[in-house]
Amino acid sequence: MKRTLGYTTNPIRRHSSERDPEALARHRDDPKRLVVLVAGDIPILRAGEPVTALLSPADTDRVANGLEEVFLGHLGDRPVVARLAPSDAADLFREDPAFIVMDLRSAAMNRIAPHDELGILATAKSLLDWHARHRFCSTCGSPTTLSQAGFRRDCASCGAQHFPRTDPVVIMLVSRGERCLLGRQTHFLPGMYSCLAGFLEPGETIEAAVRRETFEEAGVRVGAVRYSASQPWPFPSSLMIGCMGEAESEDVTVDREELEDARWFSREDVRLMLRREHPEGFFVPPSVAIANYLLHEWLDGSE
Ligand SMILES: [Zn+2]
């Protein structure tokens, strides 16, 4: 099961010692280099068998005004860089059948982007998004410049160093005996239910966040919490921390600000929802999402 979880596989060998000040300039002239091109927040994929996010330098020639580049690491002996282009650069590829222009969420959900490259795309998208939104120092307000081959931004004015952020989110399958608790947000597709989730707050443990979010959103008390698996979620830079939680109470009180509904589902319900055969039309997220993985783990313990 774990192999189908999206954004978790990344064949690039990364090493912080390779992020010296000359790294980007050195790889810029390397004819073997591979480029992950992101226009705004849209990755440009090369069509074909197989589809790939790893473009050749010639593929990207038509983009004259790239904004920023970061060095992701090596694939074999080939350096891989991620390049940020303005969002309208996507139009340069849209009509060309050699390329696929599609937001990453859709490309992953519809299995258009290669599974093995989803981790590369997650790294590229999160890192480039961070650069695009952190051009000024949060300490003194002066412009910052890229350093560490893209894994840091420095402020020349006050000396502050800024590092790319990863925002931890707890996502939990809370169960009690033969039933588990699922909820739906208003923006979900009609009929879709998923695990409850929420951002970890500063100074909070993972276990405490699982208990707090479950009580806030559904009014259910959680006792034992166990970590299961994690998943990068590059929208823009979350890390989903998947947990199993044991409920200590059953009454559900839905916080309507957070959720449209939350309710208990039986194992049989969940089996039917996974197969999209539930008589009431309920279903759960696809296998690319960690909620699906947690539900499988709860049903049969298999991975
Ligand atoms: Zn500063």
Side-chain angles (χ1 to χ4, degrees):
M1 265 310 294
K2 224 167 196 165
R3 280 179 285 116
T4 65
L5 195 49
Y7 312 110
T8 57
T9 48
N10 186 343
I12 286 182
R13 187 183 76 249
R14 41 172 137 189
H15 199 306
S16 56
S17 69
E18 295 179 343
R19 296 169 192 159
D20 57 274
E22 286 77 42
L24 283 167
R26 190 166 61 244
H27 299 312
R28 193 162 292 135
D29 299 323
D30 189 332
K32 294 197 306 293
R33 80 180 192 145
L34 297 164
V35 183
V36 180
L37 182 63
V38 181
D41 64 352
I42 305 290
I44 309 298
L45 307 176
R46 181 164 253 295
E49 284 293 329
V51 172
T52 183
L54 299 164
L55 309 183
S56 71
D59 286 336
T60 64
D61 279 351
R62 68 186 79 179
V63 183
N65 53 341
L67 295 174
E68 228 136 24
E69 250 181 28
V70 302
F71 170 55
L72 299 181
H74 281 93
L75 203 54
D77 64 347
R78 307 181 75 176
V80 183
V81 298
R83 185 175 181 195
L84 180 64
S87 50
D88 59 7
D91 297 337
L92 301 169
F93 298 87
R94 224 178 279 280
E95 304 300 323
D96 187 335
F99 295 94
I100 298 168
V101 179
M102 183 182 286
D103 71 278
L104 181 54
R105 202 185 290 259
S106 304
M109 288 280 186
N110 298 311
R111 302 186 184 192
I112 288 167
H115 184 79
D116 287 350
E117 293 179 5
L118 287 180
I120 300 173
L121 284 161
T123 306
K125 184 175 175 301
S126 289
L127 206 46
L128 293 174
D129 179 87
W130 176 75
H131 282 288
R133 292 185 299 125
H134 291 78
R135 302 206 184 281
F136 294 90
C137 178
S138 57
T139 305
C140 75
S142 301
T144 54
T145 53
L146 181 149
S147 69
Q148 288 265 304
F151 282 77
R152 202 175 79 198
R153 291 189 77 87
D154 293 346
C155 175
S157 180
C158 77
Q161 297 177 339
H162 302 281
F163 295 89
R165 57 187 291 172
T166 295
D167 303 315
V169 174
V170 289
I171 178 164
M172 48 278 180
L173 184 62
V174 171
S175 62
R176 186 165 168 87
E178 294 302 300
R179 297 194 301 166
C180 72
L181 181 66
L182 301 175
R184 55 171 283 111
Q185 298 176 17
T186 48
H187 67 83
F188 282 4
L189 289 171
M192 190 175 93
Y193 278 77
S194 187
C195 297
L196 304 188
F199 282 103
L200 199 79
E201 295 186 348
E204 193 171 43
T205 64
I206 292 169
E207 294 86 342
V210 166
R211 294 184 186 112
R212 176 182 55 75
E213 284 287 344
T214 306
F215 186 71
E216 283 180 7
E217 293 188 356
V220 171
R221 293 287 184 190
V222 173
V225 173
R226 178 175 61 77
Y227 168 78
S228 172
S230 66
Q231 175 187 39
W233 193 250
F235 306 101
S237 54
S238 293
L239 176 69
M240 309 301 284
I241 303 170
C243 295
M244 310 297 280
E246 289 179 21
E248 293 184 335
S249 66
E250 290 186 7
D251 289 346
V252 176
T253 308
V254 178
D255 175 358
R256 301 285 172 191
E257 300 265 303
E258 299 265 353
L259 293 179
E260 185 181 281
D261 188 29
R263 61 173 80 176
W264 294 98
F265 290 92
S266 70
R267 287 181 197 270
E268 185 55 19
D269 281 327
V270 171
R271 280 190 200 97
L272 293 169
M273 290 161 87
L274 282 163
R275 296 202 299 261
R276 294 202 172 213
E277 292 174 2
H278 195 279
E280 292 177 74
F282 298 145
F283 63 100
V284 292
S287 62
V288 72
I290 194 167
N292 185 290
Y293 174 83
L294 296 174
L295 285 162
H296 273 282
E297 182 175 323
W298 179 64
L299 275 187
D300 52 32
S302 69
E303 294 194 4

